[in-house]
Amino acid sequence: MNLGRIAFLGSGETSLAGGRIFETLARLIPDPLRIAILETPAGFELNASLVAGRVAEFLRNRLQNYKPTIDLIPARKKGTEFSPDNMEILKPLLQANMIFMGPGSPSYAARQLQGTLAWDIVRARHRQGATLVFSSAATISVGQWVLPVYEIYKVGEDMHVKDGLGIFSECGLPVSFIPHWNNAEGGVDLDTSRCFVGMERFAEWRKMLKGENVIVGLDEHSGIIIDFEKQVCDVHGVSSVTVMKQTSNKIYPSGESFPLGELGELNVPELTEGVRPEVWNMIANASQAEDDAPPPEVFNLLEQRKQARAVKDFASSDRLRDEIASLGWVVQDTKEGQTLAKK
């Protein structure tokens, strides 16, 4: 199994620092770059598609040298046409090699994705080498435990703990993530660090966690990239990350690295463990369909040949036909136009 990299950002997915992290990851992904953006964390908002769309536009510009294909996945709410169990809207996930989730509500994202087809596909693709990127609310939701920020900071509910998606639970890593770790929007009058709840309430929340736990605090415009092959966590951005264990706290500034073992002992699960069999079948069928489809290069040459024939440049037309043939495809001219057949 080839576990893909995972990046966790404290905030600023469309900032200069965030762009650098995305570019670092894109550089390591073989062509073609296929990015899927899940709308789930902001699925309760009326402008969920705009929230994800802004990220898509940022990545389209920032990663233009990599010519990415970017798909928005409107998996917003269970029991609706935009359900995380609706396979029709999830299809781009099957072949995405970079998957992103970002702003919204942590508890909403965890509730809407838990046990769904979408989350199974994300986990399966990661086990096949796809890169995952989580920022802000999504960073909290995928951990072992969720800090319900909105319920506490905005609604005024008592401090409590919610179950997270537990992306590392099958690996034996009891890790939870807190973005906006060093937030200072409250100024001198209000402690808004620890993702707006403040140090005092965060300490209360942490005491409620069950069993062994590790907290990774991510400063704003900062994050980590976990490389499972090298067993290392690289710190990126403008500030630092904090690793809190029950017996120690360590701060790692940007530019430093620390062993993955700092988060616990990694136990890599079996490839298919915990993921429903039909997901693997869908991924295999999608890969087969991709293998049977002409690559973009062939379609580009076919379009050039069409233009050459339109101006009766038959020498160029023949040359382009031969180039297409060298790529394993035969051009057939019919009354309806050009068609392609595999050699």
Side-chain angles (χ1 to χ4, degrees), residues 38 40-41 78 84 101 105-116 118-120 122-123 134 137-147 162-170 173 175-177:
L38 275 163
T40 315
K78 291 178 178 178
M101 288 202 306
S105 163
S107 51
Y108 181 87
R111 185 172 72 251
Q112 294 302 325
L113 285 175
Q114 190 65 262
T116 64
W119 187 239
D120 267 7
V122 170
R123 291 158 61 224
F134 302 113
T139 296
I140 300 178
S141 70
V142 301
Q144 190 72 24
W145 307 108
V146 166
L147 173 64
K162 292 180 180 289
D163 291 336
L165 290 166
I167 193 167
F168 293 136
S169 58
E170 287 160 351
L173 302 179
V175 185
S176 302
F177 300 89

Side-chain angles (χ1 to χ4, degrees), residues 6-20:
I6 304 184
F8 295 95
L9 283 69
S11 74
E13 61 276 354
T14 59
S15 68
L16 178 61
R20 286 173 175 163

Side-chain angles (χ1 to χ4, degrees), residues 128-264:
Q128 293 180 314
T131 295
L132 308 183
V133 185
F134 302 113
S135 178
S136 194
T139 296
I140 300 178
S141 70
V142 301
Q144 190 72 24
W145 307 108
V146 166
L147 173 64
V149 179
Y150 284 107
E151 292 89 332
I152 295 165
Y153 179 59
K154 295 291 187 181
V155 181
E157 291 184 7
D158 290 338
M159 187 62 62
H160 61 286
V161 175
K162 292 180 180 289
D163 291 336
L165 290 166
I167 193 167
F168 293 136
S169 58
E170 287 160 351
C171 297
L173 302 179
V175 185
S176 302
F177 300 89
I178 307 296
H180 301 281
W181 185 255
N182 63 338
N183 182 273
E185 291 178 17
V188 296
D189 299 318
L190 177 65
D191 179 10
T192 53
S193 67
R194 311 310 184 253
C195 201
F196 307 104
V197 301
M199 293 185 187
E200 184 177 334
R201 285 187 293 190
F202 170 76
E204 182 184 348
W205 174 81
R206 193 180 179 207
K207 289 179 181 178
M208 296 179 177
L209 303 185
K210 302 172 185 176
E212 183 182 358
N213 61 80
V214 177
I215 306 295
V216 177
L218 302 147
D219 283 356
E220 296 185 329
H221 300 277
S222 306
I224 58 172
I225 296 176
I226 300 178
D227 187 319
F228 293 90
E229 182 179 357
K230 296 179 179 178
Q231 298 275 292
V232 69
C233 303
D234 296 318
V235 183
H236 294 259
V238 301
S239 189
S240 61
V241 302
T242 301
V243 177
M244 298 184 69
K245 299 181 183 180
Q246 291 172 312
T247 58
S248 66
N249 292 349
K250 293 183 180 179
I251 298 175
Y252 299 95
S254 178
E256 286 197 6
S257 300
F258 60 90
L260 179 56
E262 284 291 296
L263 306 183

Side-chain angles (χ1 to χ4, degrees), residues 285-298:
N285 291 337
S287 297
Q288 181 63 44
E290 176 71 9
D291 291 341
D292 292 340
E297 182 181 2
V298 169

Side-chain angles (χ1 to χ4, degrees), residues 267-325:
N267 298 306
V268 179
E270 295 294 325
L271 177 65
T272 59
E273 181 181 340
V275 176
R276 65 192 85 179
E278 56 264 37
V279 167
W280 299 108
N281 292 333
M282 287 185 288
I283 292 174
N285 291 337
S287 297
Q288 181 63 44
E290 176 71 9
D291 291 341
D292 292 340
E297 182 181 2
V298 169
F299 282 119
N300 184 43
L301 293 171
L302 191 68
E303 180 60 26
Q304 293 179 42
R305 184 175 184 269
K306 178 182 177 181
Q307 294 173 7
R309 288 175 65 83
V311 297
K312 301 187 184 305
D313 183 358
F314 296 111
S316 294
S317 172
D318 290 344
R319 176 180 55 79
L320 290 163
R321 179 197 60 205
D322 293 341
E323 282 190 53
I324 293 171

Side-chain angles (χ1 to χ4, degrees), residues 23-56:
E23 192 158 5
T24 296
L25 295 168
R27 199 179 303 124
L28 299 169
I29 296 174
D31 291 337
L33 177 58
R34 293 172 171 165
I35 303 173
I37 299 175
L38 275 163
E39 296 182 12
T40 315
F44 64 97
E45 299 180 12
L46 297 178
N47 66 339
S49 61
L50 292 178
V51 173
R54 291 190 195 103
V55 178

